[in-house]
Amino acid sequence: MVRARVILLSAAATLGACSVGPDYRPRTAAELGVPEAYSVPGAPTREDLTRWWNRFDDPVLGRLVEQAAANNTDVAQAIARLRQARESLVQSRGSLLPTVSGSTGYQRNENLRGGGRSFTLPDGTVVDTGGGGTNNFSVGLSASWQVGIFGELRRTVEATRAQYESAGYDYAGVIQTVQSETARNYVLARAFQAQIANARASLTLQDDNLEIAGFRVQAGLVSSLDSEQARVQRAQTAATIPSLEQQYNAAVSRLGVLTGQAPGALKGELVAAKPIPAGPASVGIGIPADTLRQRPDVRSAERALAAATAQIGVAKARLYPALAITGNINTNATSIGNIGDAITGGLFAGLTQAIFNGGRLRSQVRGQEAIAEAALASYKGTVLLALEDVETAIVALTTAQAREREFAIALDAANNSAILSRSQYRSGLTDFTTLNQQEAALLSARNGLTQARSDAATALVALYVALGGGWDANTIPDVDTVRATNVTETR
């Protein structure tokens, strides 16, 4: 009997090593349509962008980015989803092992009526007693095991493991998004501060112009048209400040929420104006194949494809017989002392096979194959979008830098023209319309240079993120490493 059980279990284990369905095969760069080089110019060397925000040399920016990565609510949700995926993997692994349960019981039987006996005591008292009670003790142990002889359980573990890894990469993607949004809004806040300063500097000049125009009108040197033009120019410039202040407030409020705080939490800290952060002039972008290894969204899509491929095997295994083994051990006794005197046990192994199901099971296989095909297309699309992000960011950075150089020249020329026009107007050598045009050109050049610097910083942030910066691509994010990282950043 024992020999038969050993043979049965050995056969089940041997059969369980067979897994139906396709084995997952990673795709090469050529299969995914990845070119050997980018179509835009860039340094082929690859840089370590794990902490790209330090390249801006702005301590406030760096602290806000790290604070957002540790406290943002979207990050907390991603961690919760990662934990959920880990527990799904634990549950699927548990299905590979037998389920064992135990039971114990106690039963007492008494005669409530009839069947009793009477005793007469020495003093003549008659005592009625019951018919006598009985005790029953029981202890049992049962086990069941779904063997999965065609690999459905192993394929399920394979799928959930890939889903767990995909959730880890999704977490890294959320971290990237939060980091880039924090940096982008910080750049916007500093840019709005600069534009407000530009407007107020122009107001100071326009106040002087209005005063000069008033003196010249009183002296009868010019008509009141000059004074009215000065008033119009000043009012239009002053009208831009409330709008800029509203946009600045929105950026700072957004930074507060991104860092897991109330919208106004950072207003006091950021009220002092500082320059727009400027990073390095160039970035080593490497080759497109690096994107496959560095971008978390690409790696998440690859793991999703692996999970979908494994699910094909799960669906196919349902077409074949399923083996279940159950066993139990029981004992019953009237007292605890002799509970081990009589022990009974049983072992059962059964195969079930679907005979007719209207084509449902085969349809499930085809459906899962279609899901895998869609996952492959999504994977390819994610790769191509990643390459597009890189090239778009490179072009945005180079064009913003070119605009910045030209606006610097324009600002110098506009400043000289405004000084000359102001001097000539005071001397009566030019009219107020010319001065007004030069003052407007000066403000436009200032704002153009500010916008170009803001665009360059924003494009640099986008390029860092497009290249996969902001996380350690050498490790697969899991629950333990994420917890350790959060503890370190919180400290």
Side-chain angles (χ1 to χ4, degrees):
M1 179 66 178
V2 174
R3 180 180 177 84
R5 294 176 182 175
V6 172
I7 293 174
L8 178 61
L9 293 174
S10 299
T14 302
L15 289 172
C18 173
S19 296
V20 298
D23 293 325
Y24 175 70
R25 179 183 62 83
R27 268 58 176 183
T28 64
E31 290 177 306
L32 296 171
V34 178
E36 295 183 358
Y38 290 105
S39 64
V40 294
T45 57
R46 186 69 178 179
E47 300 182 23
D48 181 10
L49 302 178
T50 304
R51 301 176 68 83
W52 54 262
W53 48 90
N54 291 336
R55 296 172 180 268
F56 286 95
D57 196 23
D58 189 321
V60 177
L61 170 61
R63 184 179 56 78
L64 291 177
V65 169
E66 293 177 2
Q67 188 175 356
N71 301 328
N72 184 268
T73 55
D74 290 340
V75 174
Q77 293 178 57
I79 293 175
R81 291 191 292 269
L82 181 60
R83 290 173 52 202
Q84 182 181 2
R86 197 268 300 272
E87 297 308 320
S88 295
L89 176 59
V90 171
Q91 295 167 27
S92 63
R93 283 174 174 170
S95 64
L96 295 172
L97 303 174
T99 299
V100 181
S101 59
S103 63
T104 182
Y106 167 72
Q107 181 178 347
R108 172 72 179 180
N109 296 317
E110 288 284 353
N111 292 327
L112 300 179
R113 183 176 181 181
R117 291 177 293 175
S118 297
F119 297 92
T120 302
L121 300 178
D123 61 359
T125 303
V126 179
V127 178
D128 294 326
T129 64
T134 59
N135 296 317
N136 183 271
F137 299 90
S138 64
V139 176
L141 190 67
S142 62
S144 62
W145 184 24
Q146 297 291 333
V147 179
I149 56 178
F150 290 97
E152 61 268 28
L153 301 181
R154 287 174 179 77
R155 290 299 190 192
T156 300
V157 173
E158 181 182 341
T160 52
R161 182 185 295 110
Q163 289 166 353
Y164 178 38
E165 293 170 350
S166 177
Y169 294 130
D170 288 341
Y171 158 80
V174 172
I175 287 287
Q176 278 192 320
T177 300
V178 169
Q179 291 169 344
S180 64
E181 277 296 293
T182 301
R184 188 181 68 84
N185 280 276
Y186 181 80
V187 170
L188 286 176
R190 295 308 188 193
F192 290 134
Q193 284 181 331
Q195 289 180 348
I196 291 171
N198 293 341
R200 287 175 176 166
S202 292
L203 275 182
T204 301
L205 295 177
Q206 290 164 8
D207 284 337
D208 291 341
N209 294 339
L210 180 59
E211 185 178 5
I212 294 171
F215 290 153
R216 290 176 63 81
V217 170
Q218 291 177 3
L221 300 175
V222 294
S223 70
S224 60
L225 178 62
D226 285 12
S227 177
E228 294 304 317
Q229 285 182 332
R231 288 179 59 206
V232 170
Q233 183 189 44
R234 187 195 183 284
Q236 289 177 338
T237 302
T240 64
I241 294 179
S243 176
L244 292 172
E245 289 176 337
Q246 181 270 327
Q247 294 177 80
Y248 165 76
N249 180 78
V252 175
S253 297
R254 185 64 187 145
L255 283 173
V257 174
L258 284 168
T259 55
Q261 304 176 81
L266 298 174
K267 290 183 178 180
E269 182 178 352
L270 299 180
V271 66
K274 289 187 177 182
I276 298 171
S282 62
V283 179
I285 61 175
I287 59 176
D290 293 331
T291 303
L292 303 182
R293 296 180 290 271
Q294 193 72 28
R295 288 272 297 233
D297 56 342
V298 172
R299 295 177 70 171
S300 175
E302 186 271 338
R303 289 289 81 199
L305 173 59
T309 304
Q311 289 290 356
I312 296 175
V314 175
K316 281 190 173 181
R318 298 192 184 103
L319 299 173
Y320 301 98
L323 173 62
I325 301 174
T326 60
N328 62 80
I329 299 176
N330 296 287
T331 180
N332 288 282
T334 58
S335 66
I336 296 179
N338 61 2
I339 197 168
D341 291 348
I343 300 176
T344 61
L347 179 66
F348 173 79
L351 285 173
T352 58
Q353 168 67 56
I355 297 175
F356 177 76
N357 50 70
R360 178 174 55 87
L361 297 181
R362 294 192 179 278
S363 176
Q364 290 176 354
V365 174
R366 293 192 297 271
Q368 195 58 55
E369 289 172 344
I371 292 175
E373 291 175 2
L376 175 58
S378 176
Y379 179 29
K380 289 182 178 179
T382 303
V383 169
L384 297 178
L385 286 175
L387 301 179
E388 180 186 8
D389 289 344
V390 173
E391 297 201 359
T392 300
I394 292 172
V395 174
L397 177 60
T398 54
T399 55
Q401 291 172 338
R403 286 167 43 225
E404 185 178 353
R405 291 191 295 268
E406 296 301 326
F407 273 118
I409 298 173
L411 176 59
D412 182 65
N415 187 53
N416 293 334
S417 297
I419 293 174
L420 182 60
S421 296
R422 197 176 306 113
S423 175
Q424 291 179 341
Y425 180 72
R426 288 174 185 242
S427 304
L429 299 177
T430 188
D431 58 12
F432 189 82
T433 300
T434 302
L435 175 60
N436 190 13
Q437 291 174 345
Q438 296 305 319
E439 295 286 1
L442 175 60
L443 177 58
S444 176
R446 283 174 173 168
N447 285 336
L449 180 59
T450 297
Q451 187 63 53
R453 287 174 177 170
S454 174
D455 291 344
T458 301
L460 188 57
V461 171
L463 179 56
Y464 286 148
V465 175
L467 291 172
W471 72 295
D472 185 3
N474 296 320
T475 60
I476 301 175
D478 57 24
V479 172
D480 295 330
T481 58
V482 166
R483 286 174 176 171
T485 301
N486 280 358
V487 169
T488 301
E489 291 181 346
T490 302
R491 289 178 181 173

